Protein backbone atom coordinates (compact mmCIF):
# COMPACT_ATOMS: atom_id res chain seq x y z
CA UNK A 1 0.00 0.00 0.00
CA UNK A 2 1.35 3.43 -0.94
CA UNK A 3 1.82 5.97 1.81
CA UNK A 4 2.92 9.53 2.44
CA UNK A 5 5.94 10.54 4.50
CA UNK A 6 4.62 13.47 6.56
CA UNK A 7 6.54 15.98 8.66
CA UNK A 8 4.98 18.90 10.53
CA UNK A 9 7.11 21.53 12.23
CA UNK A 10 6.35 24.91 13.74
CA UNK A 11 8.69 27.88 13.70
CA UNK A 12 10.16 26.89 17.08
CA UNK A 13 9.29 23.22 17.65
CA UNK A 14 8.69 19.79 16.12
CA UNK A 15 5.00 18.78 15.95
CA UNK A 16 4.60 15.34 14.30
CA UNK A 17 6.04 13.03 11.66
CA UNK A 18 5.10 9.62 10.33
CA UNK A 19 3.50 7.61 7.55
CA UNK A 20 -0.01 8.55 6.44
CA UNK A 21 -2.57 7.73 3.77
CA UNK A 22 -4.26 11.16 3.71
CA UNK A 23 -3.42 14.73 4.73
CA UNK A 24 -5.99 17.56 4.66
CA UNK A 25 -5.21 21.25 5.11
CA UNK A 26 -6.70 24.68 4.47
CA UNK A 27 -4.75 26.84 2.02
CA UNK A 28 -5.22 30.36 0.70
CA UNK A 29 -6.77 28.77 -2.43
CA UNK A 30 -9.13 26.49 -0.47
CA UNK A 31 -9.04 23.09 1.19
CA UNK A 32 -6.60 20.47 -0.10
CA UNK A 33 -6.51 16.73 0.40
CA UNK A 34 -3.36 14.79 -0.45
CA UNK A 35 -3.11 11.05 -1.01
CA UNK A 36 -0.13 9.00 -2.23
CA UNK A 37 0.71 9.83 -5.86
CA UNK A 38 -0.45 13.46 -5.60
CA UNK A 39 1.18 15.89 -8.02
CA UNK A 40 3.77 18.27 -6.55
CA UNK A 41 2.32 21.38 -4.96
CA UNK A 42 3.48 24.30 -2.84
CA UNK A 43 0.77 26.27 -1.06
CA UNK A 44 0.34 28.96 1.57
CA UNK A 45 -1.72 27.69 4.52
CA UNK A 46 -4.23 29.81 6.39
CA UNK A 47 -5.11 29.23 10.06
CA UNK A 48 -7.11 26.05 10.51
CA UNK A 49 -7.07 22.39 11.40
CA UNK A 50 -4.77 19.89 9.69
CA UNK A 51 -6.14 16.36 9.53
CA UNK A 52 -3.79 13.40 9.11
CA UNK A 53 -4.93 9.81 8.60
CA UNK A 54 -1.91 7.76 9.71
CA UNK A 55 -1.17 4.32 8.28
CA UNK A 56 -1.98 2.91 11.72
CA UNK A 57 -3.79 4.45 14.65
CA UNK A 58 -6.38 7.16 15.06
CA UNK A 59 -6.80 10.35 13.05
CA UNK A 60 -4.42 13.13 14.08
CA UNK A 61 -5.56 16.75 14.31
CA UNK A 62 -3.19 19.71 14.39
CA UNK A 63 -4.29 23.30 14.97
CA UNK A 64 -2.03 25.34 12.68
CA UNK A 65 -1.76 29.12 12.47
CA UNK A 66 -0.73 29.39 8.82
CA UNK A 67 2.53 28.57 7.08
CA UNK A 68 3.55 26.53 4.03
CA UNK A 69 2.39 23.17 2.67
CA UNK A 70 4.67 21.25 0.28
CA UNK A 71 4.05 17.96 -1.54
CA UNK A 72 6.62 16.16 -3.71
CA UNK A 73 7.31 12.46 -4.33
CA UNK A 74 4.88 11.24 -1.62
CA UNK A 75 6.51 13.52 0.94
CA UNK A 76 4.42 16.19 2.69
CA UNK A 77 6.24 18.90 4.60
CA UNK A 78 4.25 21.43 6.60
CA UNK A 79 6.03 24.39 8.14
CA UNK A 80 3.55 26.25 10.32
CA UNK A 81 3.92 29.62 12.02
CA UNK A 82 2.63 27.88 15.14
CA UNK A 83 1.00 24.46 15.53
CA UNK A 84 -0.29 22.24 18.30
CA UNK A 85 -1.56 18.65 18.37
CA UNK A 86 -5.24 18.41 19.33
CA UNK A 87 -7.15 15.64 21.03
CA UNK A 88 -9.55 14.27 18.36
CA UNK A 89 -12.16 13.51 21.03
CA UNK A 90 -12.34 17.14 22.17
CA UNK A 91 -11.86 18.86 18.79
CA UNK A 92 -15.46 18.35 17.73
CA UNK A 93 -14.87 15.28 15.53
Amino acid sequence: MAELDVEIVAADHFVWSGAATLVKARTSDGDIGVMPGHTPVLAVMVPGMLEITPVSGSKILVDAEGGFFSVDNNRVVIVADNAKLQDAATAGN
Side-chain angles (χ1 to χ4, degrees):
M1 176 176 172
E3 57 188 49
L4 299 165
D5 177 23
V6 181
E7 182 174 2
I8 304 170
V9 296
D12 62 349
H13 65 279
F14 169 83
V15 179
W16 186 85
S17 69
T21 57
L22 175 66
V23 177
K24 294 180 186 178
R26 178 158 290 171
T27 73
S28 58
D29 291 327
D31 291 348
I32 186 170
V34 174
M35 296 174 72
H38 197 284
T39 58
V41 66
L42 177 61
V44 175
M45 290 190 330
V46 296
M49 200 65 69
L50 301 171
E51 183 179 313
I52 299 104
T53 304
V55 170
S56 61
S58 300
K59 177 171 51 174
I60 296 163
L61 300 174
V62 178
D63 187 13
E65 295 180 9
F68 294 93
F69 186 94
S70 170
V71 179
D72 193 22
N73 292 322
N74 287 333
R75 179 160 169 76
V76 178
V77 177
I78 297 169
V79 180
D81 297 333
N82 192 15
K84 185 170 93 173
L85 284 172
Q86 298 292 304
D87 180 359
T90 60
N93 290 347

